[in-house]
Amino acid sequence: MTAEQDIETLDAAAAEAELARLAGLLGAANRAYHAEDAPEISDAEYDALKRRNAAIEARFPALKRPDSPSDQVGAAPAEGFGKVAHEVRMLSLGNAFAAEEVVEFDARIRRYLGLGPEAPLAYTAEPKIDGLSLSVRYEGGQLVRGATRGDGEIGEDVTGNVRTVADIPDRLEGAPEVLEVRGEIYMSHADFAALNARQAEAGGKVFANPRNAAAGSLRQLDAEITRSRPLRFFAYAWGTTSEPLADTQSGALARLKALGFRTNPETTLAEGPAALIARYDDIAARRAELGYDIDGVVYKVDDLALQARLGFRSTTPRWAIAHKFPAETAWTRLLGIDINVGRTGALSPIARLEPVTVGGVVVSNATLHNEDYIAGRASDGMPIRGGADLRIGDRVEVYRAGDVIPKLRDVDLSARPPDATPFAFPEACPDCGSPATREPGESVRRCTGGLICPAQRVARLKHLVSRGALDVDGLGDKEVERFHELGWVRAPADIFTLQARHGSGLQTVANLEGWGETSAANLFSAIEAARSQPLAKVLFALGIRHLGEVAGRDLARHFQGWDAFAAAVDAAAPAAARHRVAEEAVLAERAQAAEEGRRARISEARAAAWAEVPEAARAAWDDLTGIDGIGATLALALCDAMSSEQERRAIDALVAELDISAPEKVAEASPVAGKTIVFTGTLERMTRAEAKARAEALGAKVSGSVSAKTDLVVAGPGAGSKGAKAEALGIEMIDEDGWLALIGA
Ligand code: IVH
């Protein structure tokens, strides 16, 4: 057999030729085996050919042959990677850039735990490796699974590839029965340079940086390619464990090391922010000598019992932070400004740049935020870049930090072309021509076209089927654009009626260029699978402004079903309009009072505006805004979307196509699950923040105000008006000791 070219280095022509060759070889092997009963190649060789064929098809679905060996007897073709649900979510880290943010991180932790500034509090400090995180699971000491982080909840199953990484032991001696070790896959500078040299020599793909090389190497459908790549692994955390690894972070690292993992030798313990910052400076100074890319230093509370008390915000732990190195920068020229219309109609300006390398990556565009930013003003009206505006033709400084979209930092006015003119930001949507307006106090200009605007429609469709939302496999941005252009999918529900409308007619998906019977069938089965959705995902998928994943979960947990959600928003809608009027009245009263030199009568202005609102609507509004995590801004956006005739029609049509499930109730067994609790007065044994986080972890809802919906009030000394209101409403009240006893703390 001739030497085979890396699949990822094939171009389309070479791929087509290779698929033809493989079809020939496999066809001959099949005939030899089945018809002639005289196998010419070993089973292993046969399987390897078949895997290679499937991997090429996965990269070039359009080139799949009508007589593809994948569709013939034998094992199912590799279908990308399987999915793995992480038992313990894989989180990311909050960031700090300035030293003051590290001081604030320590202070925040002390406040949360109720520790004084002098109380001892140790942290580990270790390099933040610039690679990709991986979770490896051991059962009975045996490696059983490797998974990427994915979206933190669901990752990709890369077990076969992980087994080829030398730093990841196959067997552990003396490990807990179940142990998930987490850490970073990366590539050293030396290995990266050698790999790229080999790739260049073979006319293959050259990677932009070690991180991309590591990611590309781990995510290979053929584990043999992964084996040939010099991947390394540092362990720094863990997921599920059947027994604790240690009492401290540093102890757990020592245990992981004793079990056979590599842990970072730069990890040290430090007391207090000054020592952490000193450690950061030290590592930063030696950054280039480490031999691998790092992008900061991670600090973690050492005591695991304190980590457990601190817990998590939505996606990041309270007990850790990444102190990032400053971003890398470069100067280049601003070639043009494009305007992108997003899912909520926001007009986002994007800088087109003369390509330039920033920290090892070629950058050719950068975000420009909004029109004020281009004009040299921050959102509060203060000058940025000394008030200098940005003009096409300017020399600009671009920077990037980690994975984020590059940004512009500065402009060199001395290099401005004499004929450069100020940029005129469009006041009409570049896509549909509808007026683009700015609401008072907002820095963003928005297209008012709503679902009339093709750009908004497409952006919403893309969001709808994206990973964190309905997650329809095989329906990416390109496919959405294509189907929209053809007029096949215009509204969300159209995705779910696509097969019925086009499945077997003349205009089938399978007939489109780049598609075939198999890929079309796969798409339709992915769409079918996407009909069943938890309520939280559906809410997030709607693409309503301010309704992110966390709010989706909060609303789902509260309402437990679509109908209850819709009814609550409908009931609150009449009050929403009034809320706007009231807030405007408040602003007017403030201005008036300032002019007349008197105190503003805010509550009176607000009360007057609310006077005409029916009691039921007002109560519904209070309920909606009383849900923990749901503020007036989101409530307004919900009411707007659900009461716009056009939007509501689209939403209802979508919901009718779906099978929506209620979220599992968290911690059903806890005595406070599902209860609405209000904390008031001074708590002495834990801070308010900790009490709230604990209650939520047990499935309770924590509200800031007492109403008829409140189930329990935990009142410390000085409970004041909330205590009185609870008494008047006859709501159960307990003190802090009672609370601790109730939750078994
Ligand atoms: S700890 C719950 N430690 O940084 C905390 N992460 O920006 C989990 N990373 O997703 C992460 N080096 O991929 C931790 N020493 C280190 C790290 C590290 C690199 C990555 C990791 C994480 C990302 C967050």
Side-chain angles (χ1 to χ4, degrees):
M1 221 180 292
T2 49
E4 292 183 337
Q5 196 181 338
D6 266 7
I7 290 169
E8 56 180 345
T9 67
L10 293 174
D11 59 21
E16 191 165 19
E18 181 66 356
L19 287 174
R21 183 181 79 95
L22 291 168
L25 282 174
L26 285 161
N30 274 337
R31 279 190 300 281
Y33 184 90
H34 293 290
E36 295 149 25
D37 210 11
E40 286 171 346
I41 57 175
S42 72
D43 285 1
E45 279 171 299
Y46 180 88
D47 286 341
L49 289 175
K50 226 166 159 167
R51 270 203 309 276
R52 182 170 169 79
N53 183 73
I56 297 175
E57 287 175 349
R59 251 202 89 198
F60 297 94
L63 296 181
K64 188 170 166 187
R65 300 165 59 86
D67 63 344
S68 164
S70 304
D71 295 340
Q72 289 153 27
V73 279
E79 272 271 293
F81 297 102
K83 291 186 174 173
V84 176
H86 298 296
E87 270 170 29
V88 176
R89 265 204 310 153
M90 289 184 80
L91 297 153
S92 58
L93 293 169
N95 288 332
F97 286 94
E100 302 85 75
E101 294 172 78
V102 178
V103 173
E104 172 52 24
F105 164 69
D106 173 71
R108 200 161 58 226
I109 289 181
R110 288 174 188 275
R111 272 200 304 277
Y112 188 97
L113 294 171
L115 292 178
E118 301 303 328
L121 183 57
Y123 297 90
T124 58
E126 63 192 289
K128 182 171 185 310
I129 317 298
D130 196 6
L132 61 151
S133 46
L134 181 78
S135 184
V136 276
R137 184 180 172 99
Y138 292 83
E139 290 173 7
Q142 202 68 45
L143 170 63
V144 293
R145 192 155 61 222
T148 63
R149 181 170 101 170
D151 64 1
E153 288 181 17
I154 296 186
E156 282 176 326
D157 187 334
V158 288
T159 311
N161 299 0
V162 161
R163 289 190 198 280
T164 70
V165 177
D167 285 346
I168 297 177
D170 260 331
R171 257 207 82 71
L172 305 178
E173 294 301 334
E177 177 58 27
V178 178
L179 171 63
E180 276 174 18
V181 177
R182 291 176 176 180
E184 204 84 352
I185 286 278
Y186 70 98
M187 205 177 275
S188 76
H189 289 155
D191 287 340
F192 167 70
L195 171 66
N196 261 356
R198 280 205 307 278
Q199 294 282 104
E201 183 124 331
K205 174 174 177 161
V206 171
F207 294 101
N209 54 44
R211 198 193 112 84
N212 287 4
S217 300
L218 183 68
R219 296 188 70 265
Q220 286 287 335
L221 284 174
D222 180 352
E224 288 314 306
I225 299 180
T226 307
R227 188 189 300 281
S228 73
R229 301 284 173 78
L231 291 176
R232 317 221 66 187
F233 181 73
F234 274 129
Y236 53 64
W238 54 94
T240 302
T241 54
S242 53
E243 57 191 82
L245 287 173
D247 296 335
T248 59
Q249 180 76 29
S250 47
L253 288 180
R255 180 87 195 279
L256 290 174
K257 185 163 182 218
L259 286 171
F261 289 95
R262 288 177 61 241
T263 55
N264 198 298
E266 297 288 339
T267 311
T268 50
L269 276 173
E271 279 275 344
L276 291 175
I277 292 161
R279 186 63 191 146
Y280 169 90
D281 290 338
D282 172 41
I283 292 179
R286 292 182 299 107
R287 182 177 180 186
E289 298 153 26
L290 294 177
Y292 47 87
D293 275 356
I294 65 172
D295 55 350
V297 179
V298 182
Y299 310 138
K300 300 172 187 169
V301 169
D302 192 42
D303 184 329
L304 297 184
L306 294 183
Q307 282 192 8
R309 279 180 60 194
L310 286 159
F312 305 93
R313 286 180 232 95
S314 64
T315 60
T316 58
R318 285 195 190 84
W319 43 265
I321 200 163
H323 190 180
K324 301 283 278 281
F325 294 137
E328 309 202 42
T329 72
W331 285 89
T332 187
R333 202 160 287 283
L334 177 59
L335 300 178
I337 297 177
D338 289 351
I339 306 285
N340 183 47
V341 182
R343 145 171 87 78
T344 59
L347 267 47
S348 310
I350 296 159
R352 297 290 167 224
L353 304 170
E354 204 167 270
V356 62
T357 306
V358 191
V361 169
V362 178
V363 167
S364 50
N365 41 49
T367 174
L368 289 172
H369 307 285
N370 54 53
E371 62 186 297
D372 286 349
Y373 180 86
I374 298 175
R377 281 189 307 269
S379 53
D380 56 7
M382 297 298 282
I384 46 174
R385 298 182 300 266
D389 68 338
L390 295 172
R391 302 183 184 186
I392 293 168
D394 272 343
R395 225 170 88 77
V396 290
E397 188 183 29
V398 47
Y399 72 98
R400 56 181 285 275
D403 265 350
V404 301
I405 311 167
K407 297 179 181 165
L408 295 192
R409 164 167 296 170
D410 208 355
V411 53
D412 178 2
L413 289 180
S414 72
R416 171 167 286 174
D419 56 349
T421 50
F423 181 70
F425 203 91
E427 293 185 355
C429 173
D431 216 67
C432 71
S434 302
T437 59
R438 275 176 78 164
E439 283 187 25
E442 275 224 22
S443 50
V444 176
R445 192 172 280 280
R446 282 173 207 280
C447 161
T448 52
L451 289 176
I452 294 169
C453 176
Q456 286 192 52
R457 266 204 318 259
V458 172
R460 284 212 220 171
L461 288 167
K462 287 179 184 172
H463 170 78
L464 180 81
V465 297
S466 67
R467 236 171 164 204
L470 301 190
D471 191 14
V472 183
D473 259 358
L475 200 48
D477 288 0
K478 285 217 174 58
E479 291 76 20
V480 168
E481 277 165 20
R482 188 80 189 281
F483 291 168
H484 184 267
E485 206 178 277
L486 288 164
W488 291 3
V489 173
R490 316 210 110 225
D494 294 348
I495 289 169
F496 294 94
T497 58
L498 183 62
Q499 184 169 26
R501 289 178 293 122
H502 293 280
S504 53
L506 267 180
Q507 296 186 302
T508 65
V509 173
N511 288 339
L512 290 181
E513 199 192 318
W515 290 79
E517 291 295 336
T518 317
S519 49
N522 286 346
L523 173 67
F524 288 133
S525 62
I527 291 175
E528 277 318 299
R531 278 186 201 273
S532 305
Q533 294 285 349
L535 180 58
K537 296 260 176 200
V538 176
L539 290 168
F540 173 61
L542 294 179
I544 293 173
R545 236 171 111 193
H546 309 296
L547 206 182
E549 280 178 281
V550 175
R553 274 200 285 270
D554 288 344
L555 287 166
R557 208 175 298 141
H558 184 87
F559 288 113
Q560 295 284 321
W562 173 263
D563 292 342
F565 163 77
V569 176
D570 289 344
R578 228 41 220 170
H579 173 84
R580 266 209 186 97
V581 174
E583 292 316 296
E584 270 159 30
V586 167
L587 285 182
E589 164 62 13
R590 277 223 179 92
Q592 180 90 28
E595 204 157 284
E596 292 168 13
R598 58 173 171 84
R599 269 189 65 214
R601 290 189 283 268
I602 303 221
S603 35
E604 284 154 51
R606 200 172 268 141
W610 275 97
E612 297 153 35
V613 179
E615 183 52 37
R618 199 190 286 200
W621 175 258
D622 287 345
D623 280 351
L624 194 56
T625 53
I627 300 171
D628 212 43
I630 310 302
T633 315
L634 172 58
L636 273 179
L638 291 175
C639 292
D640 280 353
M642 295 284 282
S643 54
S644 141
E645 204 180 307
Q646 189 192 35
E647 304 244 353
R648 183 59 176 268
R649 214 177 308 127
I651 292 174
D652 284 346
L654 171 68
V655 167
E657 294 292 335
L658 301 176
D659 173 13
I660 301 175
S661 54
E664 281 170 39
K665 293 212 170 120
V666 229
E668 196 66 81
S670 113
V672 295
K675 300 240 164 97
T676 300
I677 302 181
V678 174
F679 290 97
T680 177
T682 318
L683 300 182
E684 278 151 358
R685 310 252 307 266
M686 55 174 77
T687 60
R688 186 74 72 82
E690 184 175 1
K692 175 169 183 282
R694 289 279 277 281
E696 285 173 352
L698 291 168
K701 285 171 262 182
V702 178
S703 171
S705 58
V706 176
S707 76
K709 292 271 166 79
T710 310
D711 295 301
L712 178 67
V713 172
V714 181
S721 66
K722 290 185 193 168
K725 185 158 181 200
E727 212 156 314
L729 290 169
I731 292 164
E732 186 187 353
M733 256 208 288
I734 56 176
D735 63 8
E736 188 176 7
D737 286 340
W739 162 249
L740 291 171
L742 181 65
I743 63 169

